[in-house]
Amino acid sequence: MSAEKAKQLHQHETTEQSQSQSQKQVKVQVHKKRWITPGEKFLYTVVSSLAILFSVVVVSYSSSIDQINRDVQHLDSNINKQQLENENLQYQIKELSNPERIMEIAKENGLEIRQSKVKQAKSVSGNE
């Protein structure tokens, strides 16, 4: 039985040692260093908010410039159409103010015109 007593004594010593070791172990609180501090979080939030705001302002400014450019192009096309129409009307004025045409219409309506007294007016002015 001495062998059994030795085993029991050995087991008893090992359990006492483990209990004493667990009692001796002091719980140490480890302060984990945060990855981002609250101040950094605030700064990152402010900087990212400003970046997003800047992006929105740039996009809206670009959009308004694009709209203005479209309006300018539309006005240019209207101006070109109006200039073309004015040129056509000027050509019609020259055609209709041809002295030969005027004399034909006068003869058709029974007017007698003497060639010596027909003059072509080059420009009409309000000062006479």
Side-chain angles (χ1 to χ4, degrees), residues 9-57:
L9 183 59
H10 181 56
Q11 288 177 352
H12 183 61
E13 287 177 359
T14 56
T15 56
E16 284 180 7
Q17 286 177 355
S18 65
Q19 287 177 357
S20 64
Q21 286 178 355
S22 65
Q23 289 176 356
K24 289 179 184 176
Q25 291 179 351
V26 178
K27 292 185 179 179
V28 178
Q29 290 183 345
V30 177
H31 293 286
K32 292 183 180 179
K33 186 176 180 182
R34 292 187 178 175
W35 189 58
I36 298 175
T37 64
E40 289 176 332
K41 284 182 183 178
F42 176 73
L43 287 176
Y44 291 146
T45 303
V46 168
V47 168
S48 61
S49 298
L50 289 175
I52 290 171
L53 180 67
F54 180 73
S55 299
V56 168
V57 167

